[in-house]
Amino acid sequence: MMARRIRLGMVGGGQGAFIGAVHRIAARLDDQYELVAGALSSDPVRAHNSAAELHIEPGRSYAGFEEMAEREAARPDGIEVVAIVTPNHMHFAPAKAFLDRDIHVICDKPLTHRLEDALTLASAVAHNGLVFALTHNYTGYPMVRQAREMVASCALGTIRVEFVTGLRCESVAAELTRFVAGRALDDNAQMLMRFSGGARGMLWSSQVAPGNENALRLRVYGEKAGLDWSQEQPNTLLFTPLGKPPQLIRRAGSGASAVAAHASRIPAGHPEGYLEAFAQIYRDVAEQISARREAREPDPASLMVPGIADGVRGMRFITAAVASSRANAAWTAIEP
Amino acid sequence: MMARRIRLGMVGGGQGAFIGAVHRIAARLDDQYELVAGALSSDPVRAHNSAAELHIEPGRSYAGFEEMAEREAARPDGIEVVAIVTPNHMHFAPAKAFLDRDIHVICDKPLTHRLEDALTLASAVAHNGLVFALTHNYTGYPMVRQAREMVASCALGTIRVEFVTGLRCESVAAELTRFVAGRALDDNAQMLMRFSGGARGMLWSSQVAPGNENALRLRVYGEKAGLDWSQEQPNTLLFTPLGKPPQLIRRAGSGASAVAAHASRIPAGHPEGYLEAFAQIYRDVAEQISARREAREPDPASLMVPGIADGVRGMRFITAAVASSRANAAWTAIEP
Amino acid sequence: MMARRIRLGMVGGGQGAFIGAVHRIAARLDDQYELVAGALSSDPVRAHNSAAELHIEPGRSYAGFEEMAEREAARPDGIEVVAIVTPNHMHFAPAKAFLDRDIHVICDKPLTHRLEDALTLASAVAHNGLVFALTHNYTGYPMVRQAREMVASCALGTIRVEFVTGLRCESVAAELTRFVAGRALDDNAQMLMRFSGGARGMLWSSQVAPGNENALRLRVYGEKAGLDWSQEQPNTLLFTPLGKPPQLIRRAGSGASAVAAHASRIPAGHPEGYLEAFAQIYRDVAEQISARREAREPDPASLMVPGIADGVRGMRFITAAVASSRANAAWTAIEP
Amino acid sequence: MMARRIRLGMVGGGQGAFIGAVHRIAARLDDQYELVAGALSSDPVRAHNSAAELHIEPGRSYAGFEEMAEREAARPDGIEVVAIVTPNHMHFAPAKAFLDRDIHVICDKPLTHRLEDALTLASAVAHNGLVFALTHNYTGYPMVRQAREMVASCALGTIRVEFVTGLRCESVAAELTRFVAGRALDDNAQMLMRFSGGARGMLWSSQVAPGNENALRLRVYGEKAGLDWSQEQPNTLLFTPLGKPPQLIRRAGSGASAVAAHASRIPAGHPEGYLEAFAQIYRDVAEQISARREAREPDPASLMVPGIADGVRGMRFITAAVASSRANAAWTAIEP
């Protein structure tokens, strides 16, 4: 029999905020959370209206995250986990506040704005052992998980040219460019990467490529086979073993692994998408929290969710890329 | 401010039932329903365990749909709508029972097993004016809705060769075949169709075509343009105006209409799938029910949900197709 | 060492004629023919100019096919084979004229306008044993040939639902429609087909489907696997074995058979197209003619070219389809 | 009326040589050349047999290119143009020998092995004004030509991120890697590029990516639109104007330009491929040679063929990339 739902709070995500709404759908989809508290907006009227729309009791709609952390921690029925969906540069302070009160955290990406803040959070998590999940949504796709497992199980042999594997990116040569005048951030990034073990990689991320929507694509090649996955057709993984015809592995179809099945809800031929991948992260976090409640080991499949260490690595990568770009795309080491 | 959630009951859908779980995810996704009662299984133990898992109070987990209809109708906080997700041949009796007690119905397809039962339900709906929705899931896809709107607005000109439009199929010549010995139903259907206005169509539906998953594809051609949509890439609609390059209209991208936007949740580049289409039907039914609560007109966009008349037409179509196949694929008229 | 080129004549195909130019490119591509004579146009000026452009000696540019057949047959260096590329209803008379003078024939499709003419040609070929090839271009594609071989070798098991295999189509129910006023021929054909052994099929051919170019697609399903090929991506054959991931077999890539290799010129990754498929038919006819010259058996792979029997079957199929359509799409047997 | 065919010779390309056979098919396809002389192999037996197979008179099958250049130049009916299809490092000497005797040259890519040799050839061409064509095959594809024209005509606006345009690549940061032990050349190249005007680019070329065949893909993005073309589907150009649905421009279909039509032979829906693109280069060279014969201006559309200047630029690019890779991928200027 299923235990009661996990009590969830949210910081940010008031009316009109896109990513907050996505987090809520993701939390609802598998029915393992109950949204009971929020500091949804710094604007008091919007905060109040948003809470009412979401069926949050007025007494648990807070003016700020500090008050929310303090009062929820004091309630016997206080929240067990908080979702932080504030703007990118405002993740650190609320994350720290809830961690300090023994409340698990689901944090939208990127982890923080500054590397030192990321390290502070990592220390806090190392100290108190809480669940800390970073919602890199693509990691929830069944076929991305299967890709990762296939790389790990050596189905591809030694990796030579790669993008996203378990390998450690050791250094980066980056060219960041701002094409549209007035933008606060670079709008085009192109990088060369060197990985542990000698593999090589490239990364292109752009906001100036008309006709591309999100266009996330991952390709990994080893000495024995290759993998190709694109978010726009997320239910298919192209597997290209050397000397054999390429295979179309489909989520929940022939060739799909147990790891993919764990992250699927519906049979083959019924496409899943972005919200299901997002919900998968929430489902896995629920399993991790439930396991702690019940003092048991979590399902190993639930541990593929990106955590604090991944967030720190991401910050180190970005820091190195910015430094490289400022140094005329010189190779710049990424701290281990 | 959002009103309270709509109280939902479910008949069928106990542990292990696929389509019941899909209905529940669809109902949760947009957070407009609360599942409060159920007759989830004819097996009392499974019914009880299923209800507990779904956080339904024990007192509202019923042994049968008759008891459920009677007792829920008597409660001041009884269910407002019921989802019927029993096996295909068991839709009629519960649908009738709830309609007779003024409870709205969401019914899984097909409407009924026998045409006369469908007509009985249609009479009941005509009599009491309740909401009756049939979950033909593909009608919830934004790009299918846009396709329908483009046909209706004459973007294609007069339709010549077609599949799913607003045209009335007047007669059918069908060849139904059972290839796999021991199957209870035909596993391959091939049909020619004649539509009002002179258009022609074909339909192929098969369970003996290895490598195809669900493989639902719709194509419509008019004198000015064509449309092509496939469930396996549901976020794209191919629009082919005569004398111009084919265009890829993407959900939430350039060229997507207000009708498509109504049925979308997330921006372009983040694929939506089967569950979101299903949830769209639930969302539109919620709007229809809310409008009645509030004695106002519903949002016209919510009226694209298939209703009782569509269910009756579907039954007439199947009846004609079976008759045609028995008559050596002779053209058989479909009753208007 | 290669023997001298085969001496080729052409009837039809003067300046401005599309299909005649295609036949000439196809004949040149593998350099096994030499175009030395022609009755290229019924317009004497165009005939003369066309011949000059094609480097045909003035003395071998004829005013009509009768004169050409007579005089070429009388020369010691006369043509060995003639390509007939006149309009569709004018194939019979020249084909007959050259067959009667022991000259091999390559005839554009369809074989003839009337079934009785097709039978007359079949008698002539049966009598004198000449090579008679019908340029159904798609039969020259390597992956179509491989598809045919895979069906024949039972890689798909018993065929259930099919389109183009070695099975005999026994009867057809056809709906032919003329949508565009003033067209001489029906512009939309939709058919159900029954094959020997119980397989079923459908065919749709249309000139009123905007956005489709040639759009030839073949799908065959058996109890063990399926095949899917489309002329717009002719270098790939999708093979879908039951219970395994679908495979992309590519011309000259892994999984391509010897039959496909026979019909390929260049390595994988360099796309071949329509002209190469057409040239393959010419290459195979050259092999058949050379084998006769040299009194040896032809390479068996060269025998996949459609011949007179296929032309007759095609005429019987069309005849039955027209009769069926006139009889309200009643099932109409195709003479064996 | 068409003039006589252009007399063509060939250096290299004896039995078993792939690229020589491709050049000959390309020369034959449009029937504007006649292969009359060759130095086909350094092995005398193979040279003799190859010539016989190709219907070259024994007296014009030469033991070496020097003899061939000298004797053909002395004949009144000597070759007008030579195709050089020797191994990559052996292009310079024969190209120089024929240029010195006023014979036009079609040279397989790359131009030469060493940059100084390329410059020597450029001087010779500048001096005597002969036609010198480099068979970068992809430049013959109709849709690549249309892409180039669209960029040139500002259909994309200012280019920001790009691959192959008319822009000059000013510097490169390259990472060349040899993964497979024992290979003579690097088997993986990854580069960042800076172009005149501020555009940025990336290039990845690899022989260690299983499942990819040739996989040539070009993408160009400007401020108003983008273009995407892939050799594996060469008949389609994806055009993505900002704020409008992406368009599929098809060779010979709606939206195809006059430049594309110039490089097409057959209607839309009949796929063209690699050999037709190659033949287009030969066809354009024939036009350039014919124009000189006739002392007229060539058709401007024939001038898209890569020439000696493109060859020199290519050598400068490779030289800079190798230097960059040796300098740890430092930005390295490309000489103008």
Side-chain angles (χ1 to χ4, degrees), chain A residues 1-5 18 22 25 28-31 49 52-55 141 211 213-214 231 233-234 250 265-271 273-276, chain B residues 1-5 18 22 25 28-31 49 52-55 141 211 213-214 231 233-234 250 265-271 273-276:
Chain A
M1 197 165 311
M2 182 172 283
R4 63 171 172 72
R5 298 183 183 96
F18 159 62
V22 166
I25 293 176
R28 273 199 299 276
L29 205 119
D30 295 309
D31 201 23
N49 289 347
E53 257 193 27
L54 296 169
H55 309 285
Y141 283 108
E213 298 186 333
N214 206 295
Q231 187 177 250
Q233 294 198 42
R250 291 176 180 154
R265 281 154 195 77
I266 42 179
H270 303 78
Y274 173 85
L275 292 174
E276 288 75 25
Chain B
M1 196 163 310
M2 182 172 285
R4 65 170 171 73
R5 297 182 184 97
F18 160 63
V22 166
I25 292 176
R28 272 197 302 275
L29 205 120
D30 295 310
D31 201 23
N49 288 348
E53 256 193 26
L54 297 169
H55 308 286
Y141 283 106
E213 297 185 334
N214 207 295
Q231 188 178 248
Q233 294 198 43
R250 290 176 180 152
R265 281 152 196 80
I266 44 178
H270 303 77
Y274 173 86
L275 291 173
E276 289 74 27

Side-chain angles (χ1 to χ4, degrees), chain D residues 194-272:
Chain D
R194 291 173 177 165
F195 291 84
S196 58
R200 293 292 179 268
M202 294 177 88
L203 183 151
W204 179 34
S205 172
S206 182
Q207 292 195 316
V208 292
N212 290 281
E213 297 186 333
N214 207 295
L216 179 63
R217 183 180 181 189
L218 312 176
R219 292 193 284 177
V220 187
Y221 298 101
E223 61 186 345
K224 297 195 300 187
L227 290 173
D228 191 340
W229 178 85
S230 170
Q231 188 178 249
E232 293 184 6
Q233 295 198 41
N235 295 275
T236 300
L237 177 65
L238 181 68
F239 174 55
T240 57
L242 205 62
K244 292 186 187 162
Q247 296 177 14
L248 298 165
I249 300 177
R250 291 177 180 152
R251 183 192 59 76
S254 301
S257 70
V259 161
H262 166 80
S264 293
R265 282 154 196 79
I266 44 179
H270 304 76
E272 288 191 354

Side-chain angles (χ1 to χ4, degrees), chain C residues 73 168 228 231:
Chain C
R168 184 166 293 272
D228 191 340
Q231 187 177 249

Side-chain angles (χ1 to χ4, degrees), chain D residues 302-327:
Chain D
S302 75
L303 300 176
M304 273 206 185
V305 172
I308 188 75
D310 301 290
V312 169
R313 276 185 64 189
M315 294 302 298
R316 291 199 195 281
F317 179 85
I318 292 168
T319 302
V322 170
S324 169
S325 187
R326 286 184 183 152

Side-chain angles (χ1 to χ4, degrees), chain A residues 41-325:
Chain A
S41 174
S42 52
D43 170 341
V45 175
R46 175 177 297 172
H48 177 266
N49 289 347
S50 303
E53 257 193 27
L54 296 169
H55 309 285
I56 292 173
E57 292 175 20
R60 296 177 83 174
S61 169
Y62 302 96
F65 67 85
E66 300 88 348
E67 183 197 358
M68 175 175 163
E70 193 177 316
R71 291 182 45 190
E72 287 292 324
R75 293 176 69 113
D77 64 346
I79 61 170
E80 299 165 86
V81 58
V82 67
I84 296 175
V85 296
T86 45
N88 285 354
H89 62 291
M90 295 173 66
H91 292 170
F92 171 66
K96 185 71 170 47
F98 287 91
L99 285 177
D100 285 348
R101 284 171 183 83
D102 275 330
I103 292 170
H104 304 298
V105 173
I106 296 169
C107 183
D108 204 67
K109 64 186 163 63
L111 179 53
T112 59
H113 195 55
R114 300 185 310 165
L115 176 57
E116 57 261 46
D117 292 343
L119 293 172
T120 301
L121 293 182
S123 294
V125 171
H127 179 69
N128 61 21
L130 291 166
V131 174
F132 192 102
L134 200 62
T135 52
H136 281 291
N137 176 66
Y138 74 91
T139 65
Y141 283 108
M143 301 325 283
V144 171
R145 292 183 169 208
Q146 176 155 348
R148 186 181 169 91
E149 183 197 33
M150 288 172 82
V151 172
S153 68
C154 293
L156 279 65
T158 304
I159 301 302
R160 286 167 169 168
V161 186
E162 68 99 69
F163 206 141
V164 172
T165 64
L167 293 185
R168 184 166 292 273
C169 181
E170 293 180 336
S171 60
V172 62
E175 177 88 339
L176 309 181
T177 314
R178 201 166 312 172
F179 281 107
V180 177
R183 280 198 176 156
L185 294 174
D186 296 311
D187 51 21
N188 192 67
Q190 297 181 325
M191 305 186 199
L192 304 180
M193 294 179 288
R194 291 175 179 164
F195 290 84
S196 58
R200 293 291 179 269
M202 297 178 84
L203 183 152
W204 179 34
S205 172
S206 183
Q207 292 196 316
V208 294
N212 291 282
E213 298 186 333
N214 206 295
L216 178 63
R217 184 182 181 189
L218 311 177
R219 292 192 284 176
V220 187
Y221 297 101
E223 60 187 346
K224 296 195 299 188
L227 290 173
D228 192 340
W229 179 84
S230 171
Q231 187 177 250
E232 293 184 5
Q233 294 198 42
N235 295 274
T236 299
L237 176 66
L238 181 66
F239 174 54
T240 55
L242 203 64
K244 292 186 188 163
Q247 296 177 13
L248 298 164
I249 299 177
R250 291 176 180 154
R251 183 193 59 76
S254 301
S257 70
V259 161
H262 166 79
S264 294
R265 281 154 195 77
I266 42 179
H270 303 78
E272 288 191 353
Y274 173 85
L275 292 174
E276 288 75 25
F278 220 112
Q280 186 59 34
I281 295 182
Y282 268 84
R283 185 154 76 173
D284 286 337
V285 169
E287 164 60 13
Q288 291 183 34
I289 293 175
S290 297
R292 285 165 197 241
R293 272 190 191 168
E294 302 162 15
R296 61 169 172 80
E297 289 300 305
D299 179 348
S302 76
L303 301 176
M304 272 205 184
V305 172
I308 188 74
D310 302 290
V312 170
R313 278 184 64 186
M315 294 304 297
R316 291 200 195 280
F317 180 84
I318 292 168
T319 302
V322 170
S324 169
S325 188

